[in-house]
Amino acid sequence: SQQGEEDPQALSIQEGENATMNCSYKTSINNLQWYRQNSGRGLVHLILIRSNEREKHSGRLRVTLDTSKKSSSLLITASRAADTASYFCATANMDSNYQLIWGAGTKLIIKP
Amino acid sequence: KAGVTQTPRYLIKTRGQQVTLSCSPISGHRSVSWYQQTPGQGLQFLFEYFSETQRNKGNFPGRFSGRQFSNSRSEMNVSTLELGDSALYLCASSLEGQPFYGYTFGSGTRLTVV
C-alpha cells in the first residue's frame, strides 16, 4: 500500500536552480528514506532521516522531517542534468513488519 | 563489493507462459525483497525472503511465487502470464532483514508480455 504521497508529481527546472520535493505520510514512523530512480533502472538509496531528527544533509541534498505535520522535504541544491530522475520517499514503522511504505514519486526534469 | 545482480535484464514472453527471474544480493545480505513497478500502480511489494523463508507477502495472486536459496540468492516465478504482468521487476537486498535502514536495489528485469 502507498502511504507516502510526493508533491509535486512532476517538476521541471533549469540547471543550477534548486529543486524541492515534498512527501506526506499517514502513520507514525521510525524513519523516512529518499530514493532516486533513473529511467528504467533500479532505485538508489539517497538518505535516511530518523523520526527524532529534523534535518539531514548529504552533499547537495538536504532533507527535513516534520513529524507533527507528517511530512518531509527533499531539497537538491544547484541542480545538474544528471539529477533528472524520479524521486521516491519511503517510510518505515514498527507496525509494518519491516516493510517500507512507498510514495508514488516525483519526476524531476533538469533543463540544460 | 558487487551490487545486487538481476538476470535477465529484459524478457519478452507470451500470455500463458511462465517466467523465472533471478536475483543475487550483495554478499552478506540475507534479506531479499521483490517489487513490481508499473506506470499506473507505482512500486508494489511482492514478497520478502529472509534466511530461505518467506517473511512477508504483498497482495498479489498465487501466480506470483518466490524462493530463496541457502546462499541468499532468490528467484521469483510468475505462472500463466497475463498482459498486465508487463512491468519492471525489482529486487532489493538488505542486511539482516532490516529494510528499515535502506535497500540496495538491482537494475531490474523488464518483462513484456505479448
PDB file of all heavy atoms in Angstrom, chain A residues 24-54:
ATOM      1  N   SER A  24       4.339  13.410   2.081  1.00  0.00           N
ATOM      2  CA  SER A  24       3.483  13.344   3.264  1.00  0.00           C
ATOM      3  C   SER A  24       3.157  11.889   3.541  1.00  0.00           C
ATOM      4  O   SER A  24       3.114  11.063   2.613  1.00  0.00           O
ATOM      5  CB  SER A  24       2.200  14.156   3.048  1.00  0.00           C
ATOM      6  OG  SER A  24       1.477  13.655   1.952  1.00  0.00           O
ATOM      7  N   TYR A  25       2.930  11.573   4.794  1.00  0.00           N
ATOM      8  CA  TYR A  25       2.634  10.198   5.182  1.00  0.00           C
ATOM      9  C   TYR A  25       1.562  10.196   6.251  1.00  0.00           C
ATOM     10  O   TYR A  25       1.195  11.256   6.781  1.00  0.00           O
ATOM     11  CB  TYR A  25       3.913   9.487   5.654  1.00  0.00           C
ATOM     12  CG  TYR A  25       4.622  10.168   6.804  1.00  0.00           C
ATOM     13  CD1 TYR A  25       4.326   9.855   8.115  1.00  0.00           C
ATOM     14  CD2 TYR A  25       5.603  11.135   6.552  1.00  0.00           C
ATOM     15  CE1 TYR A  25       4.982  10.484   9.169  1.00  0.00           C
ATOM     16  CE2 TYR A  25       6.256  11.765   7.592  1.00  0.00           C
ATOM     17  CZ  TYR A  25       5.947  11.437   8.898  1.00  0.00           C
ATOM     18  OH  TYR A  25       6.598  12.069   9.936  1.00  0.00           O
ATOM     19  N   LYS A  26       1.056   9.008   6.557  1.00  0.00           N
ATOM     20  CA  LYS A  26      -0.154   8.961   7.381  1.00  0.00           C
ATOM     21  C   LYS A  26       0.066   8.454   8.809  1.00  0.00           C
ATOM     22  O   LYS A  26      -0.634   8.874   9.726  1.00  0.00           O
ATOM     23  CB  LYS A  26      -1.197   8.080   6.701  1.00  0.00           C
ATOM     24  CG  LYS A  26      -1.646   8.604   5.345  1.00  0.00           C
ATOM     25  CD  LYS A  26      -2.776   7.777   4.760  1.00  0.00           C
ATOM     26  CE  LYS A  26      -3.214   8.362   3.424  1.00  0.00           C
ATOM     27  NZ  LYS A  26      -2.847   7.525   2.302  1.00  0.00           N
ATOM     28  N   THR A  27       0.985   7.511   9.000  1.00  0.00           N
ATOM     29  CA  THR A  27       1.122   6.917  10.331  1.00  0.00           C
ATOM     30  C   THR A  27       2.438   7.341  10.969  1.00  0.00           C
ATOM     31  O   THR A  27       3.289   7.953  10.332  1.00  0.00           O
ATOM     32  CB  THR A  27       1.077   5.389  10.248  1.00  0.00           C
ATOM     33  OG1 THR A  27       2.224   4.932   9.505  1.00  0.00           O
ATOM     34  CG2 THR A  27      -0.175   4.913   9.531  1.00  0.00           C
ATOM     35  N   SER A  28       2.616   7.009  12.225  1.00  0.00           N
ATOM     36  CA  SER A  28       3.892   7.318  12.880  1.00  0.00           C
ATOM     37  C   SER A  28       4.992   6.466  12.257  1.00  0.00           C
ATOM     38  O   SER A  28       4.729   5.371  11.752  1.00  0.00           O
ATOM     39  CB  SER A  28       3.788   7.041  14.382  1.00  0.00           C
ATOM     40  OG  SER A  28       3.500   5.682  14.592  1.00  0.00           O
ATOM     41  N   ILE A  29       6.197   6.980  12.277  1.00  0.00           N
ATOM     42  CA  ILE A  29       7.286   6.306  11.573  1.00  0.00           C
ATOM     43  C   ILE A  29       8.510   6.150  12.459  1.00  0.00           C
ATOM     44  O   ILE A  29       8.685   6.851  13.455  1.00  0.00           O
ATOM     45  CB  ILE A  29       7.693   7.065  10.283  1.00  0.00           C
ATOM     46  CG1 ILE A  29       8.208   8.473  10.636  1.00  0.00           C
ATOM     47  CG2 ILE A  29       6.538   7.120   9.302  1.00  0.00           C
ATOM     48  CD1 ILE A  29       8.831   9.205   9.465  1.00  0.00           C
ATOM     49  N   ASN A  30       9.356   5.211  12.081  1.00  0.00           N
ATOM     50  CA  ASN A  30      10.664   5.042  12.688  1.00  0.00           C
ATOM     51  C   ASN A  30      11.691   5.871  11.923  1.00  0.00           C
ATOM     52  O   ASN A  30      12.543   6.518  12.525  1.00  0.00           O
ATOM     53  CB  ASN A  30      11.032   3.561  12.674  1.00  0.00           C
ATOM     54  CG  ASN A  30      12.423   3.295  13.210  1.00  0.00           C
ATOM     55  OD1 ASN A  30      13.402   3.493  12.510  1.00  0.00           O
ATOM     56  ND2 ASN A  30      12.509   2.875  14.458  1.00  0.00           N
ATOM     57  N   ASN A  31      11.601   5.817  10.600  1.00  0.00           N
ATOM     58  CA  ASN A  31      12.461   6.659   9.780  1.00  0.00           C
ATOM     59  C   ASN A  31      11.813   6.879   8.423  1.00  0.00           C
ATOM     60  O   ASN A  31      10.827   6.217   8.074  1.00  0.00           O
ATOM     61  CB  ASN A  31      13.871   6.060   9.619  1.00  0.00           C
ATOM     62  CG  ASN A  31      13.901   4.778   8.796  1.00  0.00           C
ATOM     63  OD1 ASN A  31      13.540   4.765   7.627  1.00  0.00           O
ATOM     64  ND2 ASN A  31      14.327   3.690   9.415  1.00  0.00           N
ATOM     65  N   LEU A  32      12.360   7.803   7.675  1.00  0.00           N
ATOM     66  CA  LEU A  32      11.893   8.095   6.322  1.00  0.00           C
ATOM     67  C   LEU A  32      13.115   8.108   5.423  1.00  0.00           C
ATOM     68  O   LEU A  32      14.167   8.657   5.788  1.00  0.00           O
ATOM     69  CB  LEU A  32      11.165   9.444   6.288  1.00  0.00           C
ATOM     70  CG  LEU A  32      10.491   9.843   4.964  1.00  0.00           C
ATOM     71  CD1 LEU A  32       9.211  10.620   5.226  1.00  0.00           C
ATOM     72  CD2 LEU A  32      11.412  10.631   4.064  1.00  0.00           C
ATOM     73  N   GLN A  33      12.965   7.503   4.256  1.00  0.00           N
ATOM     74  CA  GLN A  33      14.089   7.370   3.337  1.00  0.00           C
ATOM     75  C   GLN A  33      13.727   7.969   1.985  1.00  0.00           C
ATOM     76  O   GLN A  33      12.564   7.930   1.573  1.00  0.00           O
ATOM     77  CB  GLN A  33      14.439   5.888   3.169  1.00  0.00           C
ATOM     78  CG  GLN A  33      14.749   5.191   4.475  1.00  0.00           C
ATOM     79  CD  GLN A  33      14.903   3.690   4.328  1.00  0.00           C
ATOM     80  OE1 GLN A  33      15.332   3.190   3.299  1.00  0.00           O
ATOM     81  NE2 GLN A  33      14.545   2.946   5.379  1.00  0.00           N
ATOM     82  N   TRP A  34      14.714   8.500   1.318  1.00  0.00           N
ATOM     83  CA  TRP A  34      14.549   9.000  -0.043  1.00  0.00           C
ATOM     84  C   TRP A  34      15.419   8.178  -0.989  1.00  0.00           C
ATOM     85  O   TRP A  34      16.567   7.845  -0.677  1.00  0.00           O
ATOM     86  CB  TRP A  34      14.944  10.476  -0.135  1.00  0.00           C
ATOM     87  CG  TRP A  34      13.935  11.414   0.463  1.00  0.00           C
ATOM     88  CD1 TRP A  34      13.886  11.881   1.746  1.00  0.00           C
ATOM     89  CD2 TRP A  34      12.823  12.012  -0.219  1.00  0.00           C
ATOM     90  NE1 TRP A  34      12.819  12.720   1.910  1.00  0.00           N
ATOM     91  CE2 TRP A  34      12.147  12.832   0.724  1.00  0.00           C
ATOM     92  CE3 TRP A  34      12.327  11.958  -1.531  1.00  0.00           C
ATOM     93  CZ2 TRP A  34      11.013  13.569   0.401  1.00  0.00           C
ATOM     94  CZ3 TRP A  34      11.204  12.683  -1.851  1.00  0.00           C
ATOM     95  CH2 TRP A  34      10.561  13.482  -0.886  1.00  0.00           C
ATOM     96  N   TYR A  35      14.817   7.887  -2.142  1.00  0.00           N
ATOM     97  CA  TYR A  35      15.500   7.120  -3.176  1.00  0.00           C
ATOM     98  C   TYR A  35      15.385   7.858  -4.501  1.00  0.00           C
ATOM     99  O   TYR A  35      14.415   8.589  -4.731  1.00  0.00           O
ATOM    100  CB  TYR A  35      14.860   5.734  -3.352  1.00  0.00           C
ATOM    101  CG  TYR A  35      15.105   4.770  -2.224  1.00  0.00           C
ATOM    102  CD1 TYR A  35      14.392   4.866  -1.039  1.00  0.00           C
ATOM    103  CD2 TYR A  35      16.052   3.748  -2.350  1.00  0.00           C
ATOM    104  CE1 TYR A  35      14.609   3.983  -0.001  1.00  0.00           C
ATOM    105  CE2 TYR A  35      16.271   2.841  -1.309  1.00  0.00           C
ATOM    106  CZ  TYR A  35      15.557   2.986  -0.147  1.00  0.00           C
ATOM    107  OH  TYR A  35      15.775   2.094   0.883  1.00  0.00           O
ATOM    108  N   ARG A  36      16.346   7.618  -5.372  1.00  0.00           N
ATOM    109  CA  ARG A  36      16.313   8.155  -6.734  1.00  0.00           C
ATOM    110  C   ARG A  36      16.272   6.997  -7.717  1.00  0.00           C
ATOM    111  O   ARG A  36      16.913   5.963  -7.512  1.00  0.00           O
ATOM    112  CB  ARG A  36      17.571   8.990  -7.005  1.00  0.00           C
ATOM    113  CG  ARG A  36      17.625   9.629  -8.388  1.00  0.00           C
ATOM    114  CD  ARG A  36      18.978  10.259  -8.676  1.00  0.00           C
ATOM    115  NE  ARG A  36      19.988   9.257  -8.944  1.00  0.00           N
ATOM    116  CZ  ARG A  36      21.181   9.219  -8.345  1.00  0.00           C
ATOM    117  NH1 ARG A  36      21.492  10.121  -7.430  1.00  0.00           N
ATOM    118  NH2 ARG A  36      22.048   8.273  -8.649  1.00  0.00           N
ATOM    119  N   GLN A  37      15.520   7.198  -8.800  1.00  0.00           N
ATOM    120  CA  GLN A  37      15.457   6.184  -9.848  1.00  0.00           C
ATOM    121  C   GLN A  37      15.658   6.857 -11.196  1.00  0.00           C
ATOM    122  O   GLN A  37      14.838   7.681 -11.607  1.00  0.00           O
ATOM    123  CB  GLN A  37      14.120   5.442  -9.843  1.00  0.00           C
ATOM    124  CG  GLN A  37      14.063   4.322 -10.881  1.00  0.00           C
ATOM    125  CD  GLN A  37      12.734   3.581 -10.882  1.00  0.00           C
ATOM    126  OE1 GLN A  37      11.694   4.163 -10.625  1.00  0.00           O
ATOM    127  NE2 GLN A  37      12.782   2.285 -11.155  1.00  0.00           N
ATOM    128  N   ASN A  38      16.731   6.495 -11.850  1.00  0.00           N
ATOM    129  CA  ASN A  38      16.929   6.939 -13.222  1.00  0.00           C
ATOM    130  C   ASN A  38      16.068   6.063 -14.123  1.00  0.00           C
ATOM    131  O   ASN A  38      15.764   4.918 -13.796  1.00  0.00           O
ATOM    132  CB  ASN A  38      18.402   6.853 -13.608  1.00  0.00           C
ATOM    133  CG  ASN A  38      19.227   7.864 -12.852  1.00  0.00           C
ATOM    134  OD1 ASN A  38      19.771   7.566 -11.790  1.00  0.00           O
ATOM    135  ND2 ASN A  38      19.297   9.074 -13.362  1.00  0.00           N
ATOM    136  N   SER A  39      15.720   6.602 -15.265  1.00  0.00           N
ATOM    137  CA  SER A  39      14.720   5.991 -16.130  1.00  0.00           C
ATOM    138  C   SER A  39      14.945   4.501 -16.352  1.00  0.00           C
ATOM    139  O   SER A  39      15.987   4.093 -16.867  1.00  0.00           O
ATOM    140  CB  SER A  39      14.699   6.723 -17.475  1.00  0.00           C
ATOM    141  OG  SER A  39      13.728   6.172 -18.317  1.00  0.00           O
ATOM    142  N   GLY A  40      13.975   3.692 -15.950  1.00  0.00           N
ATOM    143  CA  GLY A  40      14.017   2.264 -16.219  1.00  0.00           C
ATOM    144  C   GLY A  40      15.058   1.483 -15.453  1.00  0.00           C
ATOM    145  O   GLY A  40      15.344   0.336 -15.794  1.00  0.00           O
ATOM    146  N   ARG A  41      15.632   2.099 -14.437  1.00  0.00           N
ATOM    147  CA  ARG A  41      16.681   1.414 -13.675  1.00  0.00           C
ATOM    148  C   ARG A  41      16.219   1.152 -12.243  1.00  0.00           C
ATOM    149  O   ARG A  41      15.098   1.472 -11.876  1.00  0.00           O
ATOM    150  CB  ARG A  41      17.952   2.273 -13.645  1.00  0.00           C
ATOM    151  CG  ARG A  41      18.442   2.728 -14.990  1.00  0.00           C
ATOM    152  CD  ARG A  41      19.035   1.618 -15.796  1.00  0.00           C
ATOM    153  NE  ARG A  41      20.273   1.121 -15.212  1.00  0.00           N
ATOM    154  CZ  ARG A  41      21.019   0.181 -15.779  1.00  0.00           C
ATOM    155  NH1 ARG A  41      20.658  -0.363 -16.922  1.00  0.00           N
ATOM    156  NH2 ARG A  41      22.130  -0.225 -15.199  1.00  0.00           N
ATOM    157  N   GLY A  42      17.115   0.563 -11.450  1.00  0.00           N
ATOM    158  CA  GLY A  42      16.796   0.334 -10.051  1.00  0.00           C
ATOM    159  C   GLY A  42      16.866   1.617  -9.250  1.00  0.00           C
ATOM    160  O   GLY A  42      17.324   2.650  -9.720  1.00  0.00           O
ATOM    161  N   LEU A  43      16.378   1.553  -8.034  1.00  0.00           N
ATOM    162  CA  LEU A  43      16.386   2.712  -7.158  1.00  0.00           C
ATOM    163  C   LEU A  43      17.703   2.779  -6.391  1.00  0.00           C
ATOM    164  O   LEU A  43      18.286   1.743  -6.044  1.00  0.00           O
ATOM    165  CB  LEU A  43      15.220   2.643  -6.162  1.00  0.00           C
ATOM    166  CG  LEU A  43      13.844   2.984  -6.709  1.00  0.00           C
ATOM    167  CD1 LEU A  43      13.270   1.839  -7.517  1.00  0.00           C
ATOM    168  CD2 LEU A  43      12.908   3.357  -5.575  1.00  0.00           C
ATOM    169  N   VAL A  44      18.104   4.002  -6.107  1.00  0.00           N
ATOM    170  CA  VAL A  44      19.334   4.220  -5.345  1.00  0.00           C
ATOM    171  C   VAL A  44      18.983   4.937  -4.054  1.00  0.00           C
ATOM    172  O   VAL A  44      18.298   5.967  -4.071  1.00  0.00           O
ATOM    173  CB  VAL A  44      20.343   5.063  -6.162  1.00  0.00           C
ATOM    174  CG1 VAL A  44      21.550   5.417  -5.308  1.00  0.00           C
ATOM    175  CG2 VAL A  44      20.758   4.321  -7.422  1.00  0.00           C
ATOM    176  N   HIS A  45      19.433   4.381  -2.944  1.00  0.00           N
ATOM    177  CA  HIS A  45      19.176   4.981  -1.637  1.00  0.00           C
ATOM    178  C   HIS A  45      19.979   6.271  -1.500  1.00  0.00           C
ATOM    179  O   HIS A  45      21.192   6.284  -1.692  1.00  0.00           O
ATOM    180  CB  HIS A  45      19.587   3.983  -0.550  1.00  0.00           C
ATOM    181  CG  HIS A  45      19.255   4.411   0.830  1.00  0.00           C
ATOM    182  ND1 HIS A  45      20.178   5.010   1.661  1.00  0.00           N
ATOM    183  CD2 HIS A  45      18.112   4.319   1.539  1.00  0.00           C
ATOM    184  CE1 HIS A  45      19.610   5.263   2.820  1.00  0.00           C
ATOM    185  NE2 HIS A  45      18.362   4.851   2.774  1.00  0.00           N
ATOM    186  N   LEU A  46      19.279   7.376  -1.187  1.00  0.00           N
ATOM    187  CA  LEU A  46      19.943   8.666  -1.080  1.00  0.00           C
ATOM    188  C   LEU A  46      20.243   9.040   0.356  1.00  0.00           C
ATOM    189  O   LEU A  46      21.377   9.407   0.702  1.00  0.00           O
ATOM    190  CB  LEU A  46      19.070   9.763  -1.694  1.00  0.00           C
ATOM    191  CG  LEU A  46      18.824   9.689  -3.201  1.00  0.00           C
ATOM    192  CD1 LEU A  46      17.861  10.789  -3.628  1.00  0.00           C
ATOM    193  CD2 LEU A  46      20.131   9.781  -3.971  1.00  0.00           C
ATOM    194  N   ILE A  47      19.229   8.962   1.197  1.00  0.00           N
ATOM    195  CA  ILE A  47      19.388   9.493   2.545  1.00  0.00           C
ATOM    196  C   ILE A  47      18.282   8.937   3.431  1.00  0.00           C
ATOM    197  O   ILE A  47      17.173   8.665   2.963  1.00  0.00           O
ATOM    198  CB  ILE A  47      19.375  11.041   2.512  1.00  0.00           C
ATOM    199  CG1 ILE A  47      19.969  11.644   3.775  1.00  0.00           C
ATOM    200  CG2 ILE A  47      18.002  11.576   2.190  1.00  0.00           C
ATOM    201  CD1 ILE A  47      20.297  13.125   3.645  1.00  0.00           C
ATOM    202  N   LEU A  48      18.591   8.769   4.695  1.00  0.00           N
ATOM    203  CA  LEU A  48      17.630   8.296   5.688  1.00  0.00           C
ATOM    204  C   LEU A  48      17.604   9.292   6.832  1.00  0.00           C
ATOM    205  O   LEU A  48      18.660   9.753   7.287  1.00  0.00           O
ATOM    206  CB  LEU A  48      18.065   6.911   6.197  1.00  0.00           C
ATOM    207  CG  LEU A  48      17.229   6.209   7.264  1.00  0.00           C
ATOM    208  CD1 LEU A  48      17.381   4.694   7.142  1.00  0.00           C
ATOM    209  CD2 LEU A  48      17.592   6.658   8.670  1.00  0.00           C
ATOM    210  N   ILE A  49      16.412   9.622   7.275  1.00  0.00           N
ATOM    211  CA  ILE A  49      16.279  10.523   8.408  1.00  0.00           C
ATOM    212  C   ILE A  49      15.405   9.832   9.450  1.00  0.00           C
ATOM    213  O   ILE A  49      14.344   9.281   9.127  1.00  0.00           O
ATOM    214  CB  ILE A  49      15.711  11.901   7.981  1.00  0.00           C
ATOM    215  CG1 ILE A  49      15.721  12.883   9.166  1.00  0.00           C
ATOM    216  CG2 ILE A  49      14.340  11.798   7.342  1.00  0.00           C
ATOM    217  CD1 ILE A  49      15.527  14.335   8.750  1.00  0.00           C
ATOM    218  N   ARG A  50      15.878   9.811  10.679  1.00  0.00           N
ATOM    219  CA  ARG A  50      15.154   9.136  11.746  1.00  0.00           C
ATOM    220  C   ARG A  50      14.076  10.050  12.303  1.00  0.00           C
ATOM    221  O   ARG A  50      14.131  11.276  12.174  1.00  0.00           O
ATOM    222  CB  ARG A  50      16.122   8.693  12.837  1.00  0.00           C
ATOM    223  CG  ARG A  50      17.046   7.586  12.380  1.00  0.00           C
ATOM    224  CD  ARG A  50      17.952   7.082  13.484  1.00  0.00           C
ATOM    225  NE  ARG A  50      18.594   5.841  13.126  1.00  0.00           N
ATOM    226  CZ  ARG A  50      19.640   5.728  12.317  1.00  0.00           C
ATOM    227  NH1 ARG A  50      20.165   6.818  11.790  1.00  0.00           N
ATOM    228  NH2 ARG A  50      20.164   4.558  12.032  1.00  0.00           N
ATOM    229  N   SER A  51      13.124   9.463  12.989  1.00  0.00           N
ATOM    230  CA  SER A  51      11.974  10.240  13.465  1.00  0.00           C
ATOM    231  C   SER A  51      12.366  11.289  14.496  1.00  0.00           C
ATOM    232  O   SER A  51      11.630  12.265  14.690  1.00  0.00           O
ATOM    233  CB  SER A  51      10.914   9.302  14.049  1.00  0.00           C
ATOM    234  OG  SER A  51      11.448   8.575  15.127  1.00  0.00           O
ATOM    235  N   ASN A  52      13.509  11.106  15.149  1.00  0.00           N
ATOM    236  CA  ASN A  52      13.928  12.099  16.150  1.00  0.00           C
ATOM    237  C   ASN A  52      14.887  13.142  15.561  1.00  0.00           C
ATOM    238  O   ASN A  52      15.441  13.962  16.293  1.00  0.00           O
ATOM    239  CB  ASN A  52      14.592  11.416  17.347  1.00  0.00           C
ATOM    240  CG  ASN A  52      15.837  10.636  16.957  1.00  0.00           C
ATOM    241  OD1 ASN A  52      16.150  10.501  15.773  1.00  0.00           O
ATOM    242  ND2 ASN A  52      16.545  10.131  17.946  1.00  0.00           N
ATOM    243  N   GLU A  53      15.062  13.110  14.257  1.00  0.00           N
ATOM    244  CA  GLU A  53      15.897  14.102  13.572  1.00  0.00           C
ATOM    245  C   GLU A  53      15.017  15.076  12.825  1.00  0.00           C
ATOM    246  O   GLU A  53      13.929  14.711  12.353  1.00  0.00           O
ATOM    247  CB  GLU A  53      16.864  13.415  12.601  1.00  0.00           C
ATOM    248  CG  GLU A  53      17.865  12.494  13.299  1.00  0.00           C
ATOM    249  CD  GLU A  53      18.738  11.730  12.309  1.00  0.00           C
ATOM    250  OE1 GLU A  53      18.198  11.128  11.354  1.00  0.00           O
ATOM    251  OE2 GLU A  53      19.972  11.731  12.517  1.00  0.00           O
ATOM    252  N   ARG A  54      15.473  16.288  12.668  1.00  0.00           N
ATOM    253  CA  ARG A  54      14.674  17.291  11.978  1.00  0.00           C
ATOM    254  C   ARG A  54      15.266  17.661  10.622  1.00  0.00           C
ATOM    255  O   ARG A  54      14.543  18.102   9.721  1.00  0.00           O
ATOM    256  CB  ARG A  54      14.559  18.548  12.845  1.00  0.00           C
ATOM    257  CG  ARG A  54      13.714  18.321  14.066  1.00  0.00           C
ATOM    258  CD  ARG A  54      12.269  18.006  13.697  1.00  0.00           C
ATOM    259  NE  ARG A  54      11.528  17.472  14.820  1.00  0.00           N
ATOM    260  CZ  ARG A  54      11.259  16.187  14.983  1.00  0.00           C
ATOM    261  NH1 ARG A  54      11.668  15.282  14.098  1.00  0.00           N
ATOM    262  NH2 ARG A  54      10.574  15.775  16.023  1.00  0.00           N
TER     263      ARG A  54
END
